[in-house]
Amino acid sequence: MSENSAIEWTDTTWNPVTGCTKISAGCDNCYAERFSERFRGVKGHPFRTGFDLTLRPERLAQPLDWKRPRMIFVNSMSDLFHKDIPPDYVSAVFDTMEKADWHVYQVLTKRSSLMQKFVNARYRNGVAPAHIWLGVSVENAQAASRVAHLQKARASVRFLSIEPLIAPVGDLNLDGIDWVIVGGESGWGARPMKEEWALDIRDQCIDAGVAFFFKQWGGRSPKAAGRELDGREWNEFPSSRDTPSPVQIQAIA
């Protein structure tokens, strides 16, 4: 958990689960795996098990203790819809999000079909609360099929994280999508992102009236090439966000 996240589009990270396994090309240079494996075997360290999938039940209630409203990226070091996470545990995470409803939660997954199935079962008589945002990662055209699962999920707010953008994504169906984040890969072995790929997505968002956030160009370090695209920063958030977080206030300013 990070009280003050360096991720530009959130305030805080909350990790009731850590660790994951790779399922697509976007996972190849996973930053979370790289970080976690540095501490494998270090006695007493939170990541002494490296990037092995690990439930953290002692963290389940953390958002209830945070009295200041904030935007929370859920499971920045894992994927809440990994097939090996028990459904009851996923339900416990959602229980906390529903109780601590003064926050906004950003739930991002590559396991889009499992997310759709869980969310539609939990909210079969309605939709997920507006303070729980549901998103999928899309790194190339092959991964764009995840968007359809998200569109079929009973969500109030839907977003795409197109990061790392490692190839063109093609024409996106943005019906029902509220927010799109784009970013290049960073760290050792980072695959370069071409400007035309990012501009194409930006233009599609403008045409569809979807909020667009350009996170980074990437490279050897996340901040190496800055955050400007086409001569400016793009810091838009979904219009359905009722109470701006510190991140959004800065973006507006």
Side-chain angles (χ1 to χ4, degrees):
M1 186 276 294
S2 173
E3 283 281 357
N4 297 294
S5 175
I7 300 171
E8 290 83 354
W9 46 263
T10 197
D11 298 327
T12 298
T13 57
W14 171 43
N15 286 285
V17 183
T18 57
C20 200
T21 53
K22 298 180 179 183
I23 63 167
S24 66
C27 303
D28 289 351
N29 296 323
C30 178
Y31 74 90
E33 179 188 40
R34 215 165 40 230
F35 175 86
S36 303
E37 287 298 329
R38 290 167 50 198
F39 304 102
R40 181 178 288 277
V42 178
K43 187 176 181 180
H45 196 279
F47 288 101
R48 64 187 177 278
T49 56
F51 204 51
D52 296 347
L53 188 71
T54 306
L55 305 186
R56 310 280 185 174
E58 71 279 4
R59 300 179 181 179
L60 277 172
Q62 280 179 334
L64 293 165
D65 296 328
W66 300 335
K67 303 309 178 186
R68 176 180 61 82
R70 60 189 74 185
M71 196 172 285
I72 301 172
F73 178 16
V74 181
N75 267 16
S76 64
M77 302 295 287
S78 184
D79 188 324
L80 185 61
F81 295 100
H82 192 286
K83 63 182 178 63
D84 292 333
I85 300 176
D88 287 349
Y89 194 84
V90 180
S91 292
V93 173
F94 271 76
D95 288 345
T96 295
M97 293 192 290
E98 290 174 3
K99 291 174 185 174
D101 59 2
W102 53 93
H103 304 304
V104 165
Y105 301 89
Q106 299 155 311
V107 183
L108 182 63
T109 185
K110 286 185 174 73
R111 279 86 175 169
S112 53
S113 62
L114 295 179
M115 183 215 34
Q116 177 195 340
K117 181 179 179 180
F118 176 89
V119 168
N120 287 359
R122 185 176 181 94
Y123 301 108
R124 57 187 173 274
N125 295 320
V127 296
H131 70 285
I132 300 177
W133 299 2
L134 298 170
V136 296
S137 295
V138 178
E139 65 264 29
N140 54 26
Q142 288 70 39
S145 59
R146 297 171 187 153
V147 179
H149 294 141
L150 177 62
Q151 289 166 322
K152 294 173 184 175
R154 293 179 174 274
S156 294
V157 178
R158 300 179 182 88
F159 70 99
L160 309 181
S161 176
I162 306 181
E163 181 188 12
L165 178 55
I166 58 174
V169 295
D171 292 335
L172 293 168
N173 179 354
L174 296 176
D175 291 346
I177 304 300
D178 301 284
W179 189 31
V180 173
I181 304 162
V182 169
E185 191 168 60
S186 61
W188 184 86
R191 292 161 286 185
M193 174 180 65
K194 292 186 178 181
E195 182 177 15
E196 56 262 35
W197 303 344
L199 288 173
D200 176 57
I201 298 167
R202 189 276 313 268
D203 292 346
Q204 291 188 59
C205 288
I206 290 174
D207 290 344
V210 174
F212 177 77
F213 193 105
F214 185 72
K215 178 174 176 282
Q216 65 184 38
W217 281 101
R220 185 65 185 86
S221 66
K223 316 299 181 187
R227 296 191 54 238
E228 288 193 359
L229 175 67
D230 200 20
R232 56 162 283 193
E233 290 189 1
W234 298 81
N235 297 313
E236 297 171 355
F237 280 77
S239 59
S240 59
R241 170 69 163 142
D242 294 325
T243 305
S245 72
V247 168
Q248 195 173 10
I249 292 170
Q250 290 169 11
I252 295 170

